[in-house]
Amino acid sequence: MTPGSDSSDQAASTARAIEAAWRIEAAKIIATLTRYTGDFGLAEELAQDALAEALSQWPRSGVPANPAAWLTAVAKRRAIDFWRRRERFQERAIALAGELRADEEAAAALDEPPWDPDAIDDDVLRLVFISCHPVLSREAQLALTLRVIGGLTTEQIARAFLVPAATVQQRIVRAKKRLAEADVPFELPSASDRGRRLHGALGVLYLMFSEGHVATSGEDWMRPELAMEALRLARITAGLMPREPEIHGLVALMALTASRFPARVDSEGRPILLADQNRARWDRSLIRLGERSLARAAELW
């Protein structure tokens, strides 16, 4: 093998690593940055800047051990630069310092902090509910959530809804602007307000799962990591609203469907028909979860 081909292989390997890190971690990175900055649109811009820096640096320095942590750290530094330029550095720095101090004090405490049944430490789920805020139209909610949390391209979303890609892009831009104008806080809605947003949240979680179950484009027929993230968020939502049968029904549907993932493709990634699948490879733990969730939904209905 020639030196040139070695370099080419290394570049291709790095590009695949960057693509995988972004596909898997983008939603978590953007959610974390939204919590820090309080600005949904800015968080996405900072994450994109960090991705651009990775594309520039990683081919020379190599892929870091924790790509998501690297991207988040770079984005946070960009946020500090942004606040300096906007003369808001002191205000934000004080806020971040207070948060860090509170985290350290909580970690050092011998007793557990008071439990708040309404609180949950999941930035991605907060981002789902923000994207489903009532100030946005249903179309905007779906487009924004699938783009930012599901990681779908505007072209993929456009194919799913049978509209031009430009229409989807306009919806996303307008949705971000509307959230900024409404000054929507980065937090889960109150218990009394969750019901109004539940239908929208469950809808986008189902669409995320569907994209993972059968990808609308790309080389891979499935995106199981996206589907399992949708299932994880649905289970957390079920914990937040345990008396809502629709949530348990959705968890059951996702879990029973995902249980077949190990047997759905062959060694070359080609789909296997249900009748030809090796049922011994089905995930029994997910089947049990699906059965429990289905029973719970039936009990509540």
Side-chain angles (χ1 to χ4, degrees):
M1 186 177 291
T2 64
S5 62
D6 286 343
S7 175
S8 177
D9 290 345
Q10 178 63 33
S13 176
T14 301
R16 286 194 298 271
I18 294 173
E19 180 185 0
W22 183 253
R23 184 177 65 247
I24 295 170
E25 304 290 352
K28 295 177 183 176
I29 294 169
I30 294 171
T32 298
L33 294 170
T34 303
R35 173 164 55 84
Y36 275 113
T37 64
D39 187 323
F40 182 69
L42 173 61
E44 189 177 20
E45 291 179 14
L46 294 170
Q48 292 285 352
D49 287 346
L51 177 63
E53 193 161 333
L55 290 169
S56 173
Q57 288 195 25
W58 291 6
R60 300 193 305 269
S61 62
V63 179
N66 189 332
W70 189 97
L71 289 165
T72 303
V74 168
K76 286 180 179 178
R77 288 197 293 271
R78 293 293 181 93
I80 291 173
D81 292 340
F82 173 82
W83 290 328
R84 282 196 179 111
R85 291 194 300 270
R86 294 285 298 270
E87 298 181 353
R88 295 175 60 191
F89 173 73
Q90 185 174 4
E91 173 190 342
R92 292 292 188 176
I94 291 173
L96 286 177
E99 183 176 324
L100 289 172
R101 206 162 37 243
D103 290 343
E104 291 168 358
E105 291 172 357
L110 294 177
D111 298 323
E112 292 186 0
W115 178 65
D116 180 0
D118 231 18
I120 184 166
D121 185 20
D122 193 292
D123 290 340
V124 179
L125 188 61
R126 290 190 183 102
L127 204 55
V128 170
F129 274 97
I130 287 174
S131 300
C132 296
H133 196 280
V135 299
L136 302 180
S137 67
R138 176 66 172 158
E139 293 80 6
Q141 291 175 358
L142 292 171
L144 182 62
T145 311
L146 292 175
R147 179 70 186 92
V148 176
I149 300 169
L152 277 66
T153 65
T154 52
E155 289 77 13
Q156 289 172 324
I157 300 170
R159 279 196 293 272
F161 293 102
L162 304 178
V163 297
T167 300
V168 173
Q169 184 60 41
Q170 290 170 3
R171 288 175 182 172
I172 293 171
V173 171
R174 285 198 296 265
K176 292 177 183 176
K177 183 179 179 181
R178 186 72 186 92
L179 288 174
E181 291 173 345
D183 195 22
V184 175
F186 184 71
E187 60 188 18
L188 286 170
S190 64
S192 61
D193 190 41
R194 285 176 196 157
R196 290 200 303 148
R197 300 199 215 172
L198 178 61
H199 183 71
L202 296 186
V204 296
L205 291 179
Y206 178 69
L207 287 173
M208 282 176 59
F209 185 87
S210 298
E211 175 65 20
H213 180 246
V214 179
T216 55
S217 64
E219 296 180 358
D220 297 328
W221 191 64
M222 297 170 56
R223 294 179 60 189
E225 75 285 347
L226 179 61
M228 297 310 293
E229 175 67 1
L231 173 57
R232 184 185 73 84
L233 294 172
R235 294 184 68 184
I236 294 175
T237 307
L240 283 172
M241 306 177 72
R243 302 293 303 173
E244 292 288 342
E246 188 178 2
I247 308 176
H248 297 286
L250 180 61
V251 171
L253 175 62
M254 289 181 174
L256 292 172
T257 302
S259 69
R260 302 197 305 270
F261 281 3
R264 289 192 70 222
V265 294
D266 61 20
S267 58
E268 297 182 2
R270 294 174 300 197
I272 300 175
L273 296 177
L274 178 61
D276 299 327
Q277 290 178 13
N278 179 2
R279 301 194 176 199
R281 298 191 62 201
W282 288 4
D283 190 321
R284 301 298 164 181
S285 64
L286 286 175
I287 292 175
R288 289 191 292 271
L289 170 62
E291 291 173 340
R292 289 196 305 271
S293 299
L294 192 59
R296 180 60 174 158
E299 177 185 333
L300 292 169
W301 246 306

